[in-house]
Amino acid sequence: MNKNSKAKKYYIKNFYLAISFSRVKKDQGISSLTNSQRTSYHGRSMVTLNPHQQIAVEHVEGPLLVLAGAGSGKTRVVTHRIAHLLELGVLPSDILAVTFTNKAAEEMKSRIRVLKNAQVLACTFHSLGAKILRESIHLLGFKQDFTIYDQEDSEKLLKTCMQQLSLGDDKGTLRTLKGQISATKNDLATDSEAEEKNGSTFSRVFSLYQAKLKECNALDFDDLLYLPVKLLREHESARTLYQNRWTFVLIDEYQDTNAAQYTLARILVEKHQNLFAVGDPDQSIYSWRGAKYQNILNFEKDFSGAKVVALEENYRSTNRILEAANALIAHNTDRYEKKLWSHLGEGAKVGVFMAQSERQEAQFVVDQMLERVAQNHLSLDEIAVFYRTNAQSRIFEDALLAKKISYTIIGGLSFYQRREIKDILAFLKMVVSDTDLISFLRTINLPRRGLGAVSLEKLIEAAGQEPIFSFCEQAASYSDRIALTAKQRGGLENYVRLIRSLRQARPHLKVHELIAKTIEESRYLQYLQEDPETAQDRKENINELVGKAAEWEDEQEHPTLVQFLEELSLRTSAEERSDLPSVKLMTLHNSKGLEFSLVFLVGLEEELLPHANSLGEPTQIEEERRLCYVGMTRAKRFLYLCAASYRYLWGAPRLMRPSRFLKEIPSHYLHNLSQTTIRYQATEENSSDPEGFSLGDTVLHTEFGKGIIRKAYHSSFGLTYDVHFPETATNRTLVAKFAKLQLCD
């Protein structure tokens, strides 16, 4: 069936459905539709849609922005909209759904299979980029069996570039350059823009780095966005191909798109304009990694005639939690106006606790946790502690360990980042690639083969433009290619035999069988015995990799080694989780997309939340407020906001001031659980607070004159300061409630 026939088929069907639905609206009004009417009309009794969800689901042609508030059922809307398109005759292959995590993509595909028993392409932006490049990267001069480098591999290659340009290999400089390269690609900066921003040295490094990636027929993670945009911009044939392939595009979390993702989406929908974008500017919290929330605010400007539907009914939280969150986010100016509400009842007020110290804050959290578990029969899996910085976790870990409460830190080291896993995957990458220099360097001395840094440098230099493994094959057989000792040549011959053997076995073995063979023939388990203390744990991890491959193969129609390596390259540590019941500890950034019955949001203090780096920058303060809002809206039944007046921060004891965000929430939504009234520090310049001084503050005492706070701590009298008075060269210990100090300029 050609495109015109397909279009005619579902346009006609949609015409009659639209007439039917318009009659319902005319007779009753959309808000008066009963649940049964909305469900039966939609043709599926599995999920009931509210009126605004229904409008979004029934939208077919043209751009639509769905403002999906926290907990408003956006995944339900996206999947039902896809199901609706399929009902109208749209082919599954015409639909593209893009998410930001593999977990979200799998959830979407699973729901669509349940609804319509159909498979559509639902993937992350990076997976989409990999798919486009795997098909069409030859237009950019790469081979289609390219390798995807992870962060460690990319840094090794960048280090090589720095050494070649005589820039040394300082780790700080390397990380700075890596960050600049990533930002340049994600911002789609031109060469001149990148040079103007980062300098001529960066320009030289960037050019050499890109050239070496191409020599290795490899891409870094950012290339999976950068190169597809380059491909579609420069090659009309590719642009036409992909614009015609996907006539309906859906993008989740649109507020989190960076310049490259935004541009890729704009190009793909340029012809048909059928973009269904779902997101919430109030939950945009990733500017530090390039996300531009302005993309969602500019949607109506970017797409002429665009419609906007707001989803405000929340299915997660009680109303007091939502009202407190609404009041907080209303202080932001750059947003779409909306207010979340719920049918789940009023619920408990939001608890607020101002501790004297960080230790008391942690003890309060654990005590409340145990009380709620006992009284409300909560599982540990239903409880989370959110904090602004990773360093804040230690005190809560100590408190939980003391009570023998199991916990998991979300966002820890990924399984796929462990050394032994990366080693085996590097062997597998060599099985599919002749040019992967980084994987070659990782595996050549596993186990040791007598090829040290100097001999490897000579080997790479002698290879020149020739694929590294092809050169090694010749160097192992012909002494005229490079001068090696007998031991080195024997080691190289051993390595070449290993890779050849695995390549010969590859067509005849399943992926998990090939991994097992790689482990055996490389004698990797024997190599692990060099560190007996960790050998058993690492062996168990390797066994888990074999099991993972076998499980993955069962889920694929035509599993290949290249596909397996690609999927693992796209995995992130944030998507891994423990199956054991445990309290979850995580940063606020990692909390996005999750929900818990009981949430503790801790460290609500100036310089922590909002973070010190944001102070004085209105746009950054707004992002910090959005971050707090995201944390609050994760809570389903119980929410506690906690702070401490004294904590160790950045290696020194500090007196902390309650966050301005606490003051922005009306008191009638809150339940103060502190022993004293919470005192808020004014946020304006030159303000003073007799109990809000930090180390280094200059204060005025009526008798002793001007002094400088040297130490702040709690004594038996309460808050106490050690103050140095320069005019008299004296040091005095002063109790805050007696001294009546005033802040000076």
Side-chain angles (χ1 to χ4, degrees):
M1 183 181 291
N2 60 38
K3 288 281 181 180
N4 290 334
S5 298
K6 289 192 297 179
K8 183 177 181 181
K9 179 178 178 181
Y10 60 74
Y11 292 163
I12 290 173
K13 188 171 183 181
N14 183 55
F15 174 77
Y16 287 108
L17 283 172
I19 291 174
S20 173
F21 191 45
S22 68
R23 287 173 181 161
V24 174
K25 289 192 290 182
K26 182 178 179 181
D27 294 339
Q28 300 174 296
I30 190 167
S31 62
S32 66
L33 284 173
T34 66
N35 288 343
S36 61
Q37 286 170 327
R38 288 195 291 267
T39 303
S40 62
Y41 162 72
H42 201 62
R44 288 174 296 276
S45 60
M46 302 191 65
V47 177
T48 300
L49 300 171
N50 69 43
H52 291 89
Q53 290 175 331
Q54 187 78 34
I55 292 173
V57 165
E58 296 296 336
H59 180 82
V60 178
E61 293 184 279
L64 177 73
L65 172 62
V66 179
L67 291 173
S72 63
K74 67 183 179 67
T75 304
R76 178 194 308 173
V77 169
V78 173
T79 52
H80 276 70
R81 197 262 176 161
I82 292 173
H84 182 64
L85 291 176
L86 295 172
E87 284 185 350
L88 297 179
V90 179
L91 296 178
S93 57
D94 288 347
I95 300 172
L96 168 65
V98 186
T99 70
F100 272 79
T101 67
N102 290 297
K103 181 180 178 181
E106 291 301 321
E107 171 70 13
M108 193 175 294
K109 286 189 285 189
S110 175
R111 292 199 192 188
I112 294 167
R113 283 195 295 268
V114 170
L115 286 171
K116 299 302 295 181
N117 192 27
Q119 289 188 340
V120 301
L121 178 58
C123 60
T124 65
F125 269 105
H126 289 90
S127 295
L128 174 63
K131 178 178 179 62
I132 291 172
L133 294 174
R134 195 66 72 183
E135 295 176 355
S136 304
I137 200 170
H138 62 280
L139 295 173
L140 296 176
F142 287 79
K143 296 178 182 178
Q144 289 175 298
D145 63 346
F146 59 82
T147 300
I148 301 172
Y149 281 179
D150 64 11
Q151 183 173 338
E152 183 179 341
D153 294 336
S154 301
E155 288 181 355
K156 285 181 178 179
L157 186 63
L158 181 57
K159 185 176 180 180
T160 301
C161 295
M162 292 170 62
Q163 292 171 339
Q164 186 170 327
L165 294 172
S166 301
L167 298 177
D169 56 4
D170 176 69
K171 288 185 178 179
T173 303
L174 186 148
R175 289 173 182 168
T176 298
L177 287 169
K178 187 68 179 72
Q180 290 172 338
I181 289 172
S182 180
T184 295
K185 292 181 177 182
N186 284 305
D187 291 342
L188 300 179
T190 63
D191 292 345
S192 58
E193 289 172 340
E195 183 170 346
E196 181 179 353
K197 181 178 180 179
N198 302 313
S200 58
T201 299
F202 167 79
S203 183
R204 291 163 54 216
V205 173
F206 182 72
S207 296
L208 181 59
Y209 174 75
Q210 288 301 100
K212 285 194 172 294
L213 278 173
K214 198 165 188 177
E215 284 178 20
C216 295
N217 197 43
L219 314 180
D220 66 18
F221 205 62
D222 297 310
D223 281 329
L224 299 180
L225 300 176
Y226 176 67
L227 292 182
V229 173
K230 179 180 175 66
L231 173 73
L232 297 180
R233 279 177 166 176
E234 296 179 359
H235 297 274
E236 184 178 355
S237 60
R239 187 165 62 252
T240 301
L241 171 67
Y242 295 108
Q243 285 178 348
N244 288 334
R245 177 178 295 183
W246 299 302
T247 51
F248 291 91
V249 176
L250 302 92
I251 298 179
D252 193 12
E253 305 288 7
Y254 193 74
Q255 79 281 350
D256 291 334
T257 52
N258 61 28
Q261 292 161 336
Y262 167 80
T263 304
L264 179 59
R266 287 291 305 271
I267 293 174
L268 289 176
V269 304
E270 187 176 33
K271 180 177 180 180
H272 50 72
Q273 296 287 297
N274 293 329
L275 176 60
F276 187 91
V278 183
D280 180 7
D282 289 340
Q283 297 186 73
S284 179
I285 59 174
Y286 298 120
S287 66
W288 51 275
R289 68 183 190 195
K292 298 183 182 299
Y293 71 94
Q294 294 86 351
N295 292 343
I296 194 169
L297 295 178
N298 293 333
F299 189 87
E300 292 175 274
K301 295 179 182 178
D302 292 338
F303 299 96
S304 178
K307 296 181 180 179
V308 179
V309 176
L311 305 181
E312 297 178 309
E313 182 176 356
N314 177 283
Y315 295 90
R316 173 188 299 151
S317 309
T318 56
N319 275 300
R320 275 176 168 158
I321 292 173
L322 297 177
E323 288 164 351
N326 287 335
L328 173 69
I329 202 63
H331 286 79
N332 275 9
T333 58
D334 212 3
R335 61 188 292 265
Y336 276 102
E337 180 63 32
K338 68 177 185 307
K339 289 188 177 181
L340 300 179
W341 61 275
S342 172
H343 278 305
L344 297 178
E346 192 174 39
K349 285 187 176 183
V350 175
V352 179
F353 182 74
M354 174 60 68
Q356 290 187 343
S357 67
E358 57 188 341
R359 187 170 297 280
Q360 187 185 46
E361 178 189 41
Q363 191 58 54
F364 168 82
V365 168
V366 172
D367 289 345
Q368 288 295 317
M369 197 180 288
L370 293 172
E371 183 177 326
R372 288 298 178 192
V373 167
Q375 291 184 3
N376 302 99
H377 309 292
L378 299 181
S379 163
L380 293 182
D381 278 334
E382 298 178 80
I383 304 172
V385 180
F386 301 154
Y387 36 78
R388 180 62 178 85
T389 66
N390 279 305
Q392 290 170 257
S393 73
R394 180 193 61 81
I395 194 71
F396 294 97
E397 292 184 68
D398 288 347
L400 290 167
L401 286 170
K403 294 288 187 179
K404 295 182 172 56
I405 299 174
S406 176
Y407 68 88
T408 301
I409 297 180
I410 303 299
L413 184 63
S414 167
F415 174 83
Y416 302 106
Q417 294 299 317
R418 294 168 188 167
R419 187 191 79 195
E420 60 275 15
I421 302 302
K422 297 192 72 171
D423 287 346
I424 299 303
L425 294 180
F427 275 118
L428 296 174
K429 289 176 182 179
M430 288 305 300
V431 173
V432 301
S433 174
D434 279 344
T435 57
D436 190 342
L437 176 62
I438 300 302
S439 292
F440 167 78
L441 292 174
R442 188 177 190 103
T443 56
I444 184 64
N445 281 311
L446 295 176
R448 294 183 179 85
R449 295 185 171 89
L451 293 161
V454 174
S455 55
L456 285 174
E457 185 176 347
K458 290 180 180 178
L459 188 68
I460 294 168
E461 184 177 350
Q465 301 296 316
E466 191 172 346
I468 187 64
F469 185 75
S470 299
F471 180 82
C472 288
E473 286 181 300
Q474 297 183 39
S477 302
Y478 304 104
S479 59
D480 60 335
R481 295 306 306 269
I482 185 173
L484 296 172
T485 65
K487 180 180 179 181
Q488 290 170 338
R489 194 172 302 280
L492 193 59
E493 288 174 353
N494 175 274
Y495 180 80
V496 168
R497 278 197 304 271
L498 169 64
I499 302 302
R500 280 177 173 170
S501 172
L502 295 175
R503 289 183 174 185
Q504 290 169 0
R506 177 187 172 191
H508 312 292
L509 298 177
K510 294 182 177 180
V511 175
H512 77 277
E513 293 171 337
L514 183 62
I515 295 175
K517 185 176 180 66
T518 300
I519 295 166
E520 180 183 356
E521 291 199 5
S522 65
R523 298 176 61 81
Y524 191 79
L525 295 182
Q526 288 88 327
Y527 162 74
L528 290 180
Q529 291 301 323
E530 294 179 8
D531 185 0
E533 292 184 4
T534 65
Q536 184 59 36
D537 286 340
R538 295 187 185 280
K539 179 181 177 182
E540 291 174 1
N541 288 334
I542 290 173
N543 290 338
E544 183 66 21
L545 179 64
V546 177
K548 160 67 182 175
E551 179 181 311
W552 175 83
E553 284 177 300
D554 289 340
E555 300 171 351
Q556 306 300 313
E557 187 175 355
H558 301 293
T560 68
L561 178 59
V562 170
Q563 288 175 339
F564 181 71
L565 292 173
E566 185 171 294
E567 175 161 329
L568 297 197
S569 296
L570 299 172
R571 290 289 175 187
T572 62
S573 61
E575 294 176 300
E576 292 192 343
R577 60 183 296 274
S578 171
D579 290 329
L580 296 175
S582 60
V583 174
K584 304 301 185 285
L585 307 181
M586 70 192 80
T587 64
L588 281 161
H589 284 100
N590 281 327
S591 75
K592 180 74 182 298
L594 304 178
E595 60 180 39
F596 301 91
S597 293
L598 171 58
V599 166
F600 297 90
L601 208 169
V602 301
L604 267 159
E605 302 141 27
E606 292 292 307
E607 299 189 27
L608 260 184
L609 185 63
H611 194 272
N613 293 342
S614 69
L615 300 182
E617 295 290 336
T619 58
Q620 292 185 31
I621 289 292
E622 290 212 349
E623 175 143 341
E624 292 290 301
R625 189 177 285 110
R626 292 195 295 269
L627 192 57
C628 186
Y629 172 81
V630 166
M632 293 174 68
T633 54
R634 302 308 95 195
K636 297 165 68 176
R637 298 173 60 190
F638 305 105
L639 172 64
Y640 292 88
L641 307 177
C642 305
S645 58
Y646 173 83
R647 74 170 65 242
Y648 271 83
L649 193 64
W650 305 312
R654 295 176 63 90
L655 280 171
M656 307 300 292
R657 299 159 179 164
S659 171
R660 68 191 72 189
F661 301 154
L662 288 172
K663 187 177 182 181
E664 291 172 355
I665 302 172
S667 59
H668 57 271
Y669 297 136
L670 306 176
H671 180 201
N672 183 14
L673 300 169
S674 310
Q675 294 179 348
T676 59
T677 301
I678 299 175
R679 301 195 50 152
Y680 297 100
Q681 170 68 23
T683 55
E684 289 76 21
E685 295 291 332
N686 301 322
S687 60
S688 63
D689 185 330
E691 293 192 39
F693 304 123
S694 301
L695 300 187
D697 281 352
T698 300
V699 294
L700 178 66
H701 187 274
T702 54
E703 182 178 349
F704 306 128
K706 288 187 176 181
I708 301 171
I709 302 291
R710 294 301 192 197
K711 186 177 181 182
Y713 53 94
H714 284 269
S715 68
S716 59
F717 295 103
L719 290 177
T720 303
Y721 304 104
D722 286 353
V723 186
H724 174 68
F725 293 92
E727 292 183 5
T728 57
T730 58
N731 296 305
R732 295 184 181 273
T733 298
L734 303 175
V735 177
K737 61 185 177 183
F738 302 141
K740 299 181 180 179
L741 300 171
Q742 295 181 343
L743 187 66
C744 296
D745 293 338

